Amino acid sequence: PPTRSSSATLPSIACSTGAAHVIYRRQKNYHDLPWVRHTPSGVNIAMPQSPFEGSAHSYDSIVVPNVRFQTRDDVTLASDLYLPALDGKAADGSFPTLLERTPYLKDSTRYSRRGHWYARRGYAVVINDVRGRGESEGEWYPFAKEAPDGYDAVQWIAEQSWCSGKIGTMGASYAGSDQSALATLNPP
């Protein structure tokens, strides 16, 4: 890649990487553009032309810890529920809901941050300890009950007053396989 003092031109290429776009500019002085961040590897990131990072949020958020529901075989699973809030209280209404099922302990910082982030943007978020992990009852046999337990979680969420009926799942690693497992049963 050209250095800051280089006058080389690069082809115009842009590809989305989520919140930012990788972009190579076809001009000599692209290093001097104020909205382009330069990385050590020579990749240039077009930053949002705003003083804010990420999407705007319309709510505060609250967490209701250890909300419990029963599976079809009467095992109690525990979830932390993150809701959009106003003035420290859950906002009125129903919201699209995101579910993440994890064996990595629902109350860890990574899940707390994610739950609050989405709740402040108008989503209800359910972070669920899988069977036998964290605060959930039962025996944990990796991957054994993820499909029916995931289905039961979606069914329980769909019945709640804070859920608009639109439910999505999220997660990577084990939580990613949980999404695939529950999808095999075509939940409501």
Side-chain angles (χ1 to χ4, degrees), residues 30-44:
Y30 71 95
H31 288 287
D32 299 323
L33 295 171
W35 50 272
V36 175
R37 183 180 65 155
H38 312 286
T39 64
S41 65
V43 173
N44 301 300

Side-chain angles (χ1 to χ4, degrees), residues 100-177:
E100 184 161 2
R101 303 188 65 250
T102 182
Y104 307 126
L105 307 180
K106 64 179 174 46
D107 52 2
S108 69
T109 303
R110 69 176 158 180
Y111 296 115
S112 177
R113 284 184 191 156
R114 189 174 304 147
H116 285 294
W117 193 92
Y118 282 107
R120 288 191 308 262
R121 286 154 178 84
Y123 292 87
V125 180
V126 176
I127 307 292
N128 174 232
D129 280 336
V130 298
R131 178 186 296 248
R133 300 291 293 159
E135 298 293 322
S136 288
E137 295 177 352
E139 300 264 342
W140 185 51
Y141 297 102
F143 307 106
K145 294 282 190 172
E146 302 309 345
D149 287 357
Y151 182 101
D152 294 346
V154 171
Q155 186 173 34
W156 172 78
I157 290 167
E159 296 168 355
Q160 305 308 304
S161 62
W162 40 260
C163 178
S164 68
K166 295 181 180 183
I167 303 169
T169 59
M170 62 181 178
S173 186
Y174 194 100
S177 68

Side-chain angles (χ1 to χ4, degrees), residues 4-17:
R4 228 181 216 293
S5 60
S6 173
S7 62
T9 60
L10 297 173
S12 293
I13 300 172
C15 64
S16 175
T17 59

Side-chain angles (χ1 to χ4, degrees), residues 38-106:
H38 312 286
T39 64
S41 65
V43 173
N44 301 300
I45 308 291
M47 302 306 290
Q49 295 184 36
S50 162
F52 306 105
E53 283 192 38
S55 61
H57 60 271
S58 303
Y59 298 94
D60 295 325
S61 63
I62 61 167
V63 60
V64 182
N66 292 318
V67 177
R68 299 176 185 277
F69 66 93
Q70 297 290 121
T71 62
R72 62 188 72 192
D73 60 349
D74 294 321
V75 172
T76 301
L77 301 184
S79 303
D80 286 348
L81 171 62
Y82 297 83
L83 291 170
L86 297 170
D87 299 321
K89 296 183 180 182
D92 290 330
S94 59
F95 302 94
T97 303
L98 297 170
L99 167 65
E100 184 161 2
R101 303 188 65 250
T102 182
Y104 307 126
L105 307 180
K106 64 179 174 46

